[in-house]
Amino acid sequence: QAIQSINGHTNMSAEEFTNMIFQKIDVNNDGELTLEEFINGVESDEDLMELITKSFDLSNVLKVIQTG
């Protein structure tokens, strides 16, 4: 949540974000994501890849740390 907030992506709660990820890439609907499911799912969905990349971008976090 903190990284999303620093990057300006606060329109979705952590729970909503997680649920969206599972809906998109939990292919066997077992409520668990294997590393393989996660990688395949993210690689096959450009929008999801962009969202995750932006959500977990640490460059703004580093700027905040450097500037205090």
Side-chain angles (χ1 to χ4, degrees):
Q1 284 176 325
I3 294 170
Q4 287 181 323
S5 180
I6 289 171
N7 287 333
H9 300 287
T10 57
N11 58 339
M12 198 180 302
S13 72
E15 184 177 350
E16 290 170 327
F17 183 82
T18 302
N19 288 339
M20 185 266 306
I21 298 289
F22 272 80
Q23 284 178 332
K24 286 183 172 256
I25 62 179
D26 182 17
V27 291
N28 61 2
N29 294 314
D30 66 353
E32 296 180 3
L33 285 180
T34 63
L35 181 58
E36 184 179 347
E37 277 180 312
F38 181 78
I39 291 170
N40 290 336
V42 171
E43 285 179 340
S44 66
D45 189 320
E46 284 184 38
D47 294 332
L48 185 56
M49 175 67 87
E50 183 179 344
L51 178 62
I52 288 176
T53 301
K54 286 180 180 178
S55 295
F56 296 107
D57 177 13
L58 295 176
S59 60
N60 288 328
V61 174
L62 294 174
K63 287 177 191 173
V64 169
I65 291 170
Q66 288 174 339
T67 60

